[in-house]
Amino acid sequence: MRILLDKFSKSFGSTKVIEDMDLEVGSGEMLALLGPSGCGKSTTLFAVCGIHRPTAGRILFGDRDVTNLPSQERNVGVVFQSYALYPHMTVEENIGFPLMVKRVAAADIKKQVADIAALVHIEDLLGRRPAQLSGGQQQRVALARALIRRPDVLLLDEPLANLDAKLRLEMRSEIRRLQKETGITAILVTHDQVEAMSMCDRIAIMKSGEIVQIATPSQMYNDPRTSFVASFLGNPPISLLKGKAEQGAFVLGENGLRLPLAALSGIPDGTALSLGVRPEHFGTAGGVPVEGRVVFAETQGRENLYDVVLPDGSVLRSIQPVRDDVKPGDSVRWNLDSASTFVFAEDGQRL
Amino acid sequence: MIAPAAVMIFLFFLMPVVLTAIFAMTNMSTATGISGGVWQVTQGAVNRLKADMPELASGIAEPRFVIDEEGLAALEALKLKAGFTAELRTSHMGEVFPSRREAERVIKALKDRPSTREVKQISDLFNRSVLNTRFETRDELMASLKRLGFTLTPAEQETVAKATYTGWVWTTENFRIIANSPDMAQIFLNTAFYVSVTLLVFNVSYALFLAITTHYMPASTASIFRAIWLLPRITPVVIYVLMWKWLTWDSGFISMFMGQFGYPPKNYLLDSAYNAWFFVILINGFIGASMGMLVFSSAIKAIPQAHFHASEVDGASRWQQVRHIILPQLRWPILFVTCYQTLSLLASFNEILLSTRGGPGKATEVWSLAAYHTALQNYTGNLEYGLGAAMALVLVVVGIVLSLIYLRIFRYDTLISKPLIED
Ligand SMILES: Nc1ncnc2c1ncn2[C@@H]1O[C@H](COP(=O)(O)OP(=O)(O)OP(=O)(O)O)[C@@H](O)[C@H]1O
Ligand SMILES: [Mg+2]
């Protein structure tokens, strides 16, 4: 079912958290709400599920206006960041709770709980209480509880934040599998860009209550609209160099690097700019040679990560296949793939 | 650090209970005093003896006159006619007269003809009645009885000594009185009624109601409500009860209000047992509910917000939220309040004392108030410390037993072995 936020605004007292947000999530789509802490992701999610009432604007599920419906009548499943499992109930009672409050017959509940528990692989934990489960198991229980009502919409608020790295990987694909199997429309709130990119069809990047850009992960990565988006996506993150425009080229410091770029035609000389270079676009391949000194080297197993200080003091990050001929302190002359760089105006807009 | 704590515990916590237990096993009262006593054949003692030794009882109740050496010596000291002494010694020595009249007939018949005044004077000297005479020791009493012509076996002596002793003695009589007296049974029922109704209706249910309704209010409104509900608790009890009295007096608010409809003014508090109970429970209930409300409110606050959000999203109505999310997580606070309030309702009687004094009649007399009346404050003036202590001891035992039952019912073991809040 499609979700539409139409000029949605939310303030708490005098603090405006979100103003005039428009957002559409297609039926069966999984969308990530990605942004730094405090930008209003949870607030948006809580408005969709009805815990918060919007201050202004409309929320539509399909064509139905649910703006003023209480949570109970919206048929949404939510996985809370803390899971919010009821501590005094067993796993079975937790999962069956949404059916129990609808007064479904006990035998029916039992059967449906068994089905959904099999789907998330927790069949043998049904008799336990939440306190007797690992974080990952609790997460599955929360997911099962959110799914058992066959909700129109599934909302996940940083569901993986509490898990260790390995479990997080597992659960990522698990949740995506379930979402695809059930064909449910889902919104995933996260501040982890890897999570957003690997799990979702589209990403909406938020910054202080606004959506900066909505796109598929690869569009977003390859064509960021602002420097904020560019620096939010990618791990290790993009390097941003501060420089100036000079005759259609990006110039770094006095007599420093000079990079002619098509995007800069028509930009007056002296305009302050920043240049975004992703680590994979600075290394052995590429057309523009850049000299500098390695100040930091780190191996990540398959790849090595280097920080290179340029003569003017700015830093470029580079990621390369493992090699052991470069140590911190070495001077290097590596190449920059100028076609893959992004230039941003001073206000962060891409040029 | 253990030594001072142990001393404190002993002095202030164990000693009172131990002393109560000790007092409970005695018949101490104003009459016996709390130190030793004497042996005295009081009318009461005679009554006590009637059952076992009717002959002796009626015998010692009567005055007795005995012509003995002691009396003769006293008569000589009076310096009346020497003939009196001589004749009494030779002709009547050792005679016992069961009444003054008989003794005086003999004295009057003496050859030296005593005047009527002298007859009276002489007979007094031979009066050996034990009724109301104090004997400092048991042996003096026995010797005196022997002189009167009562020869008693050691077992009989024991009975007599017991019956005439005026000091306190060790006894389990108090508990027999408590177990058998219909008054006590009525007081027991009163207490059970008072404690259970106040506890269930106000201290738990009403407190829960307040805590839950304030939970669903906006924060600022809720704190105003809580502050108002706390007033009965923080008002000095004397003043608080006085306000209820103003309300219920014959010239009070209720009377005035009912007067509008033509009802004659009356004291609504003491007018009938039904009304007295109604107000006693209200007075105590409003004080008790405020504590439960505080405990329950803070316990509800401790439930993570996410549980409420989650249950709403899961489709639970307010009532279902209360029933399935709030109440199950309040098990421990409910146990605590139930236990604590049971004990305090059992033990405290100041509100009742200040409002109805247990009246009308003994309609609102509860156990602790009865113990207070028995041991420390009553109209007859005979304060029965022993019986009062026994009643207090019963209260302690009932309190302990009830606490154990509560722990059972609320399955205390599961409460402490598993953490309740976990996410
Ligand atoms: N009940 C509230 N009253 C006042 N301000 C609030 C309230 N809830 C949230 N806010 C504010 O709204 C802003 C957005 O909060 P929100 O919880 O949506 O952030 P978020 O994007 O989910 O952050 P995080 O990643 O840390 O969870 C924050 O600045 C927060 O302080
Ligand atoms: Mg959040």
Side-chain angles (χ1 to χ4, degrees):
Chain A
M1 180 168 295
R2 172 192 78 141
I3 306 170
L4 180 72
L5 299 190
D6 178 23
K7 301 248 178 304
F8 159 65
S9 303
K10 176 70 193 170
S11 27
F12 294 103
S14 58
T15 32
K16 289 182 177 157
V17 177
I18 289 169
E19 268 187 282
D20 293 339
M21 176 197 275
D22 292 313
L23 176 68
E24 179 164 8
V25 187
S27 190
E29 185 185 32
M30 182 146 173
L31 177 102
L33 272 185
L34 179 64
S37 188
C39 69
K41 307 180 296 288
S42 299
T43 307
T44 310
L45 206 71
F46 281 12
V48 173
C49 66
I51 291 170
H52 292 337
R53 285 299 133 77
T55 322
R58 294 188 309 154
I59 298 172
L60 275 73
F61 284 4
D63 291 324
R64 191 164 66 120
D65 187 341
V66 298
T67 318
N68 292 312
L69 282 189
S71 313
Q72 286 91 338
E73 292 166 33
R74 292 200 188 186
N75 198 24
V76 285
V78 183
V79 176
F80 291 87
Q81 180 169 354
S82 62
Y83 307 146
L85 298 180
Y86 310 127
H88 52 283
M89 299 183 197
T90 61
V91 167
E92 182 165 11
E93 288 162 344
N94 263 285
I95 299 176
F97 186 76
L99 299 183
M100 194 264 280
V101 297
K102 277 205 310 196
R103 308 196 190 288
V104 176
D108 267 5
I109 298 182
K110 208 169 173 62
K111 195 184 154 301
Q112 292 192 45
V113 168
D115 289 350
I116 203 95
L119 194 67
V120 297
H121 309 310
I122 48 168
E123 307 91 311
D124 43 355
L125 302 177
L126 291 181
R128 297 211 200 159
R129 286 178 194 269
Q132 302 164 323
L133 300 178
S134 75
Q137 291 165 336
Q138 291 185 23
Q139 206 271 337
R140 285 162 204 251
V141 176
L143 197 60
R145 187 178 68 186
L147 289 174
I148 194 156
R149 271 206 308 180
R150 314 226 161 277
D152 301 328
V153 171
L154 178 65
L155 306 176
L156 306 131
D157 192 356
E158 309 197 22
L160 308 180
N162 290 346
L163 307 184
D164 68 41
K166 182 166 168 292
L167 204 54
R168 203 178 297 190
L169 266 175
E170 264 175 43
M171 287 312 297
R172 254 193 235 158
S173 41
E174 196 92 328
I175 291 176
R176 182 59 163 159
R177 171 179 72 84
L178 282 171
Q179 186 263 333
K180 282 203 166 134
E181 271 175 30
T182 50
I184 199 169
T185 310
I187 300 181
L188 170 81
V189 159
T190 175
H191 48 217
D192 180 347
Q193 43 103 7
V194 183
E195 214 167 280
M197 291 177 59
S198 59
M199 289 172 73
C200 297
D201 300 308
R202 283 194 307 157
I203 298 176
I205 290 206
M206 288 184 67
K207 183 187 179 185
S208 30
E210 277 177 29
I211 292 181
V212 185
Q213 186 173 359
I214 303 188
T216 64
S218 62
Q219 269 172 3
M220 184 91 66
Y221 189 79
N222 297 322
D223 188 15
R225 196 175 291 161
T226 69
S227 61
F228 175 77
V229 174
S231 55
F232 215 91
L233 290 191
N235 185 28
I238 197 166
S239 327
L240 286 173
L241 306 179
K242 295 248 173 283
K244 276 203 284 287
E246 212 175 285
Q247 291 155 8
F250 174 87
V251 178
L252 190 69
E254 300 295 318
N255 313 320
L257 178 68
R258 194 185 166 84
L259 213 60
L261 292 169
L264 290 181
S265 61
I267 300 291
D269 284 5
T271 311
L273 297 172
S274 57
L275 181 76
V277 184
R278 294 214 183 270
E280 60 270 31
H281 298 140
F282 176 55
T284 43
V288 185
V290 177
E291 280 182 32
R293 196 163 47 81
V294 176
V295 290
F296 172 81
E298 179 191 87
T299 184
Q300 296 189 333
R302 227 171 326 111
E303 288 151 335
N304 281 5
L305 183 64
Y306 300 101
D307 281 2
V308 176
V309 176
L310 306 191
D312 73 315
S314 41
V315 177
L316 271 182
R317 227 167 267 125
S318 167
I319 193 160
Q320 299 176 21
V322 165
R323 53 192 279 185
D324 45 15
D325 54 338
V326 182
K327 293 181 294 299
D330 291 357
S331 287
V332 292
R333 184 186 166 89
W334 282 339
N335 297 314
L336 197 154
D337 177 7
S338 69
S340 309
T341 61
F342 312 121
V343 229
F344 303 101
E346 209 173 10
D347 62 0
Q349 288 303 315
R350 170 97 175 275
L351 295 175
Chain B
M1 281 327 281
I2 290 178
V7 169
M8 298 295 261
I9 285 179
F10 182 73
L11 275 186
F12 298 114
F13 291 82
L14 286 178
M15 273 308 271
V17 178
V18 170
L19 280 179
T20 307
I22 292 174
F23 274 84
M25 300 304 289
T26 72
N27 65 349
M28 282 184 201
S29 67
T30 318
T32 67
I34 54 169
S35 48
V38 296
W39 284 262
Q40 186 170 17
V41 185
T42 58
Q43 193 56 50
V46 171
N47 292 344
R48 282 195 283 281
L49 280 174
K50 260 183 192 148
D52 291 341
M53 309 162 82
E55 215 171 302
L56 178 78
S58 57
I60 57 175
E62 299 291 314
R64 292 237 159 180
F65 292 77
V66 181
I67 310 299
D68 56 8
E69 248 347 294
E70 196 186 331
L72 290 172
L75 181 57
E76 241 156 31
L78 272 181
K79 304 258 188 290
L80 299 173
K81 289 184 185 145
F84 297 155
T85 321
E87 190 179 352
L88 281 173
R89 176 170 286 132
T90 51
S91 333
H92 300 289
M93 186 63 172
E95 277 175 29
V96 176
F97 308 99
S99 73
R100 182 180 284 267
R101 215 152 44 92
E102 285 165 68
E104 289 190 344
R105 199 165 49 225
V106 169
I107 295 170
K108 220 181 268 175
L110 289 176
K111 288 196 199 89
D112 283 341
R113 288 286 157 205
S115 67
T116 316
R117 197 172 62 86
E118 281 169 335
V119 168
K120 187 125 193 71
Q121 229 176 341
I122 296 168
S123 68
D124 273 349
L125 295 175
F126 297 98
N127 185 352
R128 293 290 173 271
S129 301
V130 286
L131 193 65
N132 293 332
T133 317
R134 291 161 62 94
F135 298 94
E136 290 304 322
T137 68
R138 179 179 183 227
D139 291 344
E140 276 176 40
L141 169 68
M142 292 308 155
S144 178
L145 284 176
K146 193 160 182 195
R147 256 181 281 131
L148 288 178
F150 298 111
T151 15
L152 303 174
T153 64
E156 285 170 331
Q157 287 189 4
E158 187 58 42
T159 318
V160 173
K162 226 180 193 170
T164 54
Y165 187 62
T166 63
W168 60 268
V169 292
W170 297 109
T171 175
T172 53
E173 191 59 26
N174 297 326
F175 297 102
R176 204 162 304 127
I177 294 173
I178 290 175
N180 296 331
S181 146
D183 273 1
M184 293 282 183
Q186 185 57 46
I187 292 170
F188 187 87
L189 289 180
N190 284 355
T191 312
F193 170 78
Y194 162 70
V195 171
S196 50
V197 172
T198 314
L199 183 76
L200 290 179
V201 176
F202 281 91
N203 294 356
V204 176
S205 306
Y206 191 56
L208 267 176
F209 172 79
L210 291 178
I212 290 171
T213 46
T214 48
H215 167 73
Y216 285 113
M217 286 177 190
S220 52
T221 324
S223 45
I224 293 173
F225 269 80
R226 287 196 195 110
I228 291 175
W229 281 113
L230 261 184
L231 279 179
R233 167 69 65 182
I234 55 183
T235 316
V237 64
V238 178
I239 295 175
Y240 176 68
V241 173
L242 199 61
M243 293 199 286
W244 279 96
K245 285 187 153 180
W246 280 337
L247 194 72
T248 54
W249 268 342
D250 11 16
S251 54
F253 179 79
I254 298 181
S255 284
M256 267 171 59
F257 180 77
M258 295 304 278
Q260 304 287 314
F261 304 97
Y263 290 92
K266 61 178 181 180
N267 186 332
Y268 281 85
L269 181 61
L270 291 172
D271 145 68
S272 67
Y274 175 83
N275 277 5
W277 272 126
F278 179 77
F279 284 109
V280 159
I281 288 174
L282 237 52
I283 291 172
N284 284 277
F286 285 136
I287 298 181
S290 58
M291 145 145 183
M293 178 195 67
L294 280 193
V295 173
F296 297 145
S297 291
S298 55
I300 294 176
K301 273 224 177 80
I303 299 175
Q305 269 297 309
H307 290 174
F308 294 110
H309 292 162
S311 55
E312 274 170 36
V313 168
D314 287 342
S317 64
R318 277 271 159 93
W319 165 242
Q320 285 171 325
Q321 214 171 41
V322 170
R323 166 77 188 73
H324 298 291
I325 308 297
I326 297 182
L327 287 183
Q329 303 203 50
L330 291 190
R331 207 162 61 155
W332 168 242
I334 290 175
L335 167 65
F336 168 73
V337 167
T338 308
C339 245
Y340 184 92
Q341 296 282 33
T342 303
L343 299 185
S344 67
L345 282 171
L346 279 176
S348 89
F349 53 84
N350 31 4
E351 290 85 7
I352 302 184
L353 181 66
L354 288 168
S355 54
T356 67
R357 291 178 165 271
K362 286 201 164 194
T364 53
E365 183 97 346
V366 294
W367 199 265
S368 52
L369 183 60
Y372 168 76
H373 278 154
T374 306
L376 298 171
Q377 164 75 258
N378 66 24
Y379 303 115
T380 64
N382 186 23
L383 306 180
E384 297 173 87
Y385 315 127
L387 183 56
M391 295 177 73
L393 201 64
V394 169
L395 215 51
V396 171
V397 172
V398 168
I400 291 174
V401 169
L402 284 179
S403 305
L404 292 177
I405 293 175
Y406 289 148
L407 293 185
R408 221 344 124 64
I409 294 176
F410 285 87
R411 298 194 299 142
Y412 182 64
D413 47 334
T414 64
L415 281 175
I416 48 172
S417 62
K418 281 174 207 154
L420 262 184
I421 308 286
E422 189 82 64
D423 36 25

